[in-house]
Amino acid sequence: MKPNLAETCLTTTLTCDGAMGTQLIARGMRMGECGMAWNADRPDDIIAVHRAYREAGCRLITSNSFGGTRAMLARHGKAEMVAEWNRLAARLAAEAAGPEGWAIGDVGPFGDFLEPMGDTTVAELEDIFREQITALVEGGADAILVETMSDPGELAAGVRAAKAVAKLPVIATFTFQKSAGGFRTMMGTLAGDAIRAAYDAGADIAGTNCGTNLSLDDYLELGKEIVAAAAGRATILQPNAGAPKDIDGVIHYDATPADMAALARKLRDCGISIVGGCCGTTPAHLAAIATA
């Protein structure tokens, strides 16, 4: 039986993997294509990405299921594939993670707003999340990641759904942007308030992934705020490889593996429990982070 992830990362700094989307695009995924279909149609590519991150030193391997709710799959006309594709996603991640790693069942935003801004009720959203998370658990997920959230209400619904499905550690991450008043979600929630809301909802580990035009220095500043709000609880930070730049219509991320390694050491020293990557990061970046 694997050790409990939430307990382990309180005493050991762990490395999470990086951007699945970045790697699938490099393998030919087209804009607007349903990346989850690759779990069934191109499983060798998915397992190759997972194994590259595992070989780089990542002990947390995230399933290819970011857009795996029925709400998101319906946009591709594939709502009926929720169970099959999420089980496959978790199974592939678990295979790559192995006995010394953890397969993380990935749950992204459902793609709309809760009432009163949208038409979806909290109860409906929890049902949407439970459906996906049930399949991820059936596929072998060791923990659930509710990520890239902007609305504390949506994140809380995802955490509650995960806790209702299985007694597994739940990781919850927001995405932030920097404003004159500090780091906020798109919905305007300050970083400290958002992180405390994640723990209040039942998350075992909370933090951030991605970010809007944040520099590596910004991520370090944000990391310190997350640690302060966590008050001794486990934390996670998955930065992009620097702020994105549009060069002739192509998005580039300039941070080198050495840059990310330097940031990882600072994040470890300020108290972040799990360091990973997001947009623009590659196995080379994560290998440098793991070594650091």
Side-chain angles (χ1 to χ4, degrees):
M1 185 174 181
K2 293 182 181 179
N4 182 278
L5 173 61
E7 294 173 0
T8 301
C9 68
L10 284 174
T11 58
T12 305
T13 307
L14 299 173
T15 306
C16 189
D17 54 6
M20 174 61 75
T22 297
Q23 296 304 302
L24 295 189
I25 289 169
R27 284 168 167 75
M29 186 175 75
R30 301 181 302 275
M31 186 67 67
E33 185 178 349
C34 181
M36 275 203 73
W38 284 43
N39 294 316
D41 299 339
R42 298 180 62 171
D44 290 347
D45 285 290
I46 301 300
I47 199 72
V49 174
H50 288 326
R51 284 178 174 158
Y53 281 125
R54 187 69 185 92
E55 290 166 4
C58 300
R59 293 183 66 189
L60 280 68
I61 301 299
T62 310
S63 65
N64 178 40
S65 53
F66 179 81
T69 62
R70 86 174 84 107
M72 291 298 287
L73 289 177
R75 299 182 177 195
H76 300 280
K78 296 295 183 180
E80 76 282 1
M81 302 306 295
V82 172
E84 180 179 337
W85 283 355
N86 278 284
R87 281 194 294 264
L88 278 172
R91 196 171 299 144
L92 293 170
E95 180 181 336
E100 301 300 320
W102 290 270
I104 309 301
D106 192 15
V107 178
F110 81 111
D112 207 337
F113 294 100
L114 285 167
E115 288 184 336
M117 293 182 66
D119 297 325
T120 304
T121 68
V122 171
E124 289 169 340
L125 181 55
E126 288 189 22
D127 182 65
I128 287 169
F129 282 141
R130 276 195 302 270
E131 180 183 28
Q132 180 186 15
I133 293 166
T134 296
L136 291 169
V137 173
E138 290 171 350
D142 299 307
I144 299 298
L145 169 63
V146 180
E147 70 159 324
T148 322
M149 295 290 169
S150 296
D151 179 3
E154 181 178 1
L155 180 139
V159 172
R160 288 193 299 267
K163 290 293 185 179
V165 169
K167 294 181 179 179
L168 295 178
V170 178
I171 308 168
T173 61
F174 289 96
T175 184
F176 295 102
Q177 55 195 22
K178 193 172 185 179
S179 65
F183 295 101
R184 295 180 182 271
T185 72
M186 183 182 70
M187 304 296 284
T189 307
L190 283 167
D193 293 335
I195 297 303
R196 284 185 286 271
Y199 292 118
D200 288 345
D204 300 282
I205 303 164
T208 185
N209 73 293
C210 208
T212 303
N213 294 321
L214 300 184
S215 68
L216 298 190
D217 288 340
D218 290 332
Y219 283 113
L220 177 58
E221 184 182 347
L222 177 56
K224 293 176 180 178
E225 290 192 23
I226 289 169
V227 170
R233 292 166 289 198
T235 54
I236 182 170
L237 197 150
Q238 294 180 270
N240 294 339
K245 297 179 181 178
D246 187 330
I247 302 176
D248 297 327
V250 178
I251 299 299
H252 291 268
Y253 293 86
D254 290 342
T256 66
D259 294 333
M260 297 293 277
L263 173 63
R265 283 189 289 269
K266 294 173 183 176
L267 291 172
R268 175 203 61 198
D269 292 345
C270 83
I272 293 292
S273 310
I274 301 170
V275 181
C278 205
C279 300
T281 57
T282 66
H285 290 94
L286 271 298
I289 288 172
T291 300

